[in-house]
Amino acid sequence: MANPVDSEMKVVVDPTAFNAGAGSEAPCGLSPSRRSELSAEQTVRVLTKPFQTAIGRFNELADVGADFGEDTESMKALKQQDDLDVIPERHLYKVLVRVRFEVIEPDRPWAFYCTLSLSFADPEGRRHSVDLVLRFGAPQPGRGSAAPRTAWCT
């Protein structure tokens, strides 16, 4: 995950939101019927528990190789809070996230959904939040790449 904005971003991820028996509350404002559709398409049981973190602000010069304060106090604090099984690495405005799952329907290509909530401030200091449902899955013949599909929530 990479933060594209010029302020720290708070991230809340629930990879288990669409597991069978995950609860009755529709995540992200989805209708119960839409939640049922997405849950039916999910062919794995996600093992990674819900988590939250923060990602540092974007810096276009960070990849040049100079030290841009990666070891700041806030970065050190975030690294200490990270569950290394879920966030094994972070570098300035990027975090590597590992999501573990087990296949429950071996006859179908793997696919799962998770919820993602982002909150950040714009340059004028106004707060914004975005709630998403992300789809991850194996490439499907005739449907292009395995790139995640994003569904905006209301």
Side-chain angles (χ1 to χ4, degrees):
M1 299 174 76
N3 179 359
V5 298
D6 191 27
S7 69
E8 182 177 275
M9 184 174 291
K10 304 289 185 201
V11 179
V12 179
V13 181
D14 185 355
T16 64
F18 293 89
N19 279 354
S24 59
E25 184 178 324
C28 232
L30 292 176
S31 70
S33 63
R34 184 64 177 141
R35 178 196 168 103
S36 294
E37 289 174 26
L38 299 181
S39 294
E41 187 180 330
Q42 184 160 311
T43 60
V44 304
R45 185 171 71 88
V46 181
L47 306 173
T48 301
K49 300 293 181 216
F51 65 94
Q52 58 185 346
T53 190
I55 304 175
R57 68 184 191 88
F58 175 75
N59 183 335
E60 63 188 36
L61 298 176
D63 294 324
V64 176
D67 179 15
F68 285 96
E70 180 177 2
D71 291 330
T72 64
E73 291 304 315
S74 63
M75 183 64 68
K76 286 179 185 176
L78 287 171
K79 283 184 177 184
Q80 288 177 339
Q81 294 172 8
D82 288 344
D83 175 349
L84 296 179
D85 189 51
V86 179
I87 302 175
E89 187 65 46
R90 77 168 51 238
H91 178 72
L92 299 171
Y93 65 94
K94 302 178 200 175
V95 295
L96 177 63
V97 175
R98 177 186 300 132
V99 177
R100 295 183 187 275
F101 60 87
E102 64 183 5
V103 175
I104 55 175
E105 295 186 37
D107 300 351
R108 294 174 53 197
W110 68 270
F112 69 90
Y113 290 87
C114 74
T115 61
L116 173 70
S117 297
L118 307 170
S119 61
F120 59 94
D122 63 25
E124 287 81 34
R126 294 179 300 237
R127 300 291 308 164
H128 302 275
S129 62
V130 179
D131 295 318
L132 305 164
V133 173
L134 300 177
R135 180 191 185 277
F136 296 90
Q140 296 176 341
R143 293 190 77 185
S145 72
R149 269 191 340 215
T150 304
W152 292 89
C153 297
T154 57

